[in-house]
Amino acid sequence: MDIVHTVAELRARLKKEACIGFVPTMGSLHPGHLELMRIARDQVDKIAGANGCIVVSIFVNRLQFGPNEDFGKYPRTLADDCEKCRAAGVDVVFAPDESEMYPEPQTYVVEPLEIQHILEGAVRPGHYRGVATVVLKLFNMVQPHVAVFGKKDYQQCRVLDNMVRQLNLPVEMLLAETVRADDGLALSSRNGYLTATERAEAPQLNAALREIVVELRSGNRDYMALEAKAQATLSVRGWRPDYITIRRQLDLLPPIVGDRALVVLAAARIGATRLIDNLEVSL
Ligand code: PAF
């Protein structure tokens, strides 16, 4: 496995690769990321046989963090991450520093318009501009045939999938199911912030989503009441929900009569940690 830090090194390394599968990350890798790498490998193997090349980028992107968010304390574990990538059969780790990624102020950005202002975007203004901009830059640097993202960041998947389609980027997007701990907690680098007591409570976020899904499957369409009940249940347990909401999978807008492909999304704080989760439901 090669570890490269500059765009020039990356381009030289990838020049002769026939098929590139790409997993962009911010590091602090967990089994959810390893699953994305496995999916990337499967797909490039299908396209190019044994000639596929898997690239993982590791870069904590300041542009997608708000001024009061956890950019400073976000875990940076490059040596450990590289070991995990090596064990997962990754071919190239691209770990640029900030001056390589942003050698000058980034005055050209990707604005995802409406979708960047709802849900996560309403709570984290500018977040999806930062995500879309860095992913477009990474795509231009790596020039992958296939890119894999996890559905745990559901709105991010929508934003990036739309970007690829609307800007005609030559990348096949694969969206992977969320990997969970046995108790249902979605794996996330931010789970490491949880105290033992908070970790024991954390699966309740997923439990609240599952309860809504059961109700939807049994025919309940009173979306507002379902959302309010879940918010109240979590609040009583000490959570501070930002939102728990039932949306259309297509555009994350509130469902209208007849919509059958839905997703229940939640973001809530437990202690100092903000967790997100979602469940798709097809009725
Ligand atoms: O999902 C993430 O880890 C990040 O948002 C991404 C896609 C690597 C962009 O910084």
Side-chain angles (χ1 to χ4, degrees):
M1 185 182 82
D2 297 310
I3 303 171
V4 298
H5 299 281
T6 67
V7 179
E9 285 173 314
L10 179 74
R11 292 209 163 121
R13 170 62 184 79
L14 297 181
K15 204 158 60 192
K16 296 211 173 73
E17 293 295 348
C19 181
I20 297 170
F22 181 38
V23 180
T25 81
M26 297 203 300
S28 183
L29 302 179
H30 53 66
H33 293 111
L34 303 184
E35 176 63 7
L36 305 184
M37 295 169 202
R38 190 195 60 74
I39 290 171
R41 172 64 71 192
D42 269 10
Q43 189 62 9
V44 298
D45 279 359
K46 267 188 212 140
I47 300 171
N51 293 325
C53 172
I54 302 302
V55 179
V56 170
S57 65
I58 297 178
F59 177 67
V60 184
N61 174 37
R62 185 190 292 274
L63 222 58
Q64 70 190 70
F65 287 79
N68 299 320
E69 294 183 6
D70 57 344
F71 176 75
K73 77 165 183 176
Y74 200 87
R76 287 153 171 90
T77 53
L78 184 60
D80 192 43
D81 290 342
C82 286
E83 276 322 300
K84 288 180 180 161
C85 287
R86 195 185 304 277
V90 168
D91 299 293
V92 181
V93 169
F94 174 47
D97 66 14
E98 194 148 331
S99 64
E100 184 68 13
M101 190 56 87
Y102 297 116
E104 56 190 281
Q106 189 71 29
T107 54
Y108 288 76
V109 294
V110 180
E111 286 284 356
L113 296 186
E114 283 92 354
I115 197 170
Q116 74 167 324
H117 300 301
I118 61 171
L119 303 172
E120 280 302 282
V123 184
R124 307 182 65 188
H127 174 65
Y128 289 115
R129 179 198 304 129
V131 169
T133 301
V134 80
V135 170
L136 181 60
K137 283 170 72 84
L138 286 165
F139 280 0
N140 285 332
M141 292 167 181
V142 176
Q143 306 206 348
H145 299 81
V146 174
V148 192
F149 295 86
K151 283 194 201 171
K152 197 208 125 224
D153 295 300
Y154 201 86
Q155 191 172 357
Q156 170 170 284
C157 287
R158 277 284 152 274
V159 165
L160 296 176
D161 213 29
N162 291 348
M163 176 179 83
V164 164
R165 200 181 58 256
Q166 293 193 10
L167 298 182
N168 304 90
L169 304 181
V171 183
E172 179 186 351
M173 293 286 280
L174 297 181
L175 307 180
E177 296 307 323
T178 301
V179 178
R180 298 180 182 280
D182 289 344
D183 59 12
L185 177 66
L187 298 192
S188 162
S189 305
R190 291 188 169 99
N191 292 351
Y193 299 155
L194 298 168
T195 64
T197 319
E198 291 162 359
R199 174 62 188 82
E201 173 63 21
Q204 292 304 320
L205 187 64
N206 181 248
L209 297 183
R210 276 188 280 125
E211 217 166 288
I212 294 180
V213 168
V214 169
E215 287 291 326
L216 291 172
R217 289 219 168 102
S218 69
N220 191 336
R221 296 291 178 271
D222 191 345
Y223 302 134
M224 277 168 65
L226 291 172
E227 293 166 2
K229 184 171 168 229
Q231 296 225 16
T233 306
L234 286 174
S235 300
V236 165
R237 300 185 66 96
W239 292 76
R240 299 184 310 287
D242 283 333
Y243 57 82
I244 299 178
T245 185
I246 301 160
R247 297 292 170 111
R248 298 141 54 109
Q249 289 177 19
L250 181 69
D251 50 16
L252 303 184
L253 293 177
I256 53 173
V257 179
D259 278 332
R260 307 190 77 80
L262 305 182
V263 55
V264 193
L265 305 115
R269 280 169 215 276
I270 181 79
T273 305
R274 185 169 183 279
L275 299 179
I276 60 171
D277 198 357
N278 69 80
L279 288 178
E280 287 180 313
V281 51
S282 297
L283 300 172

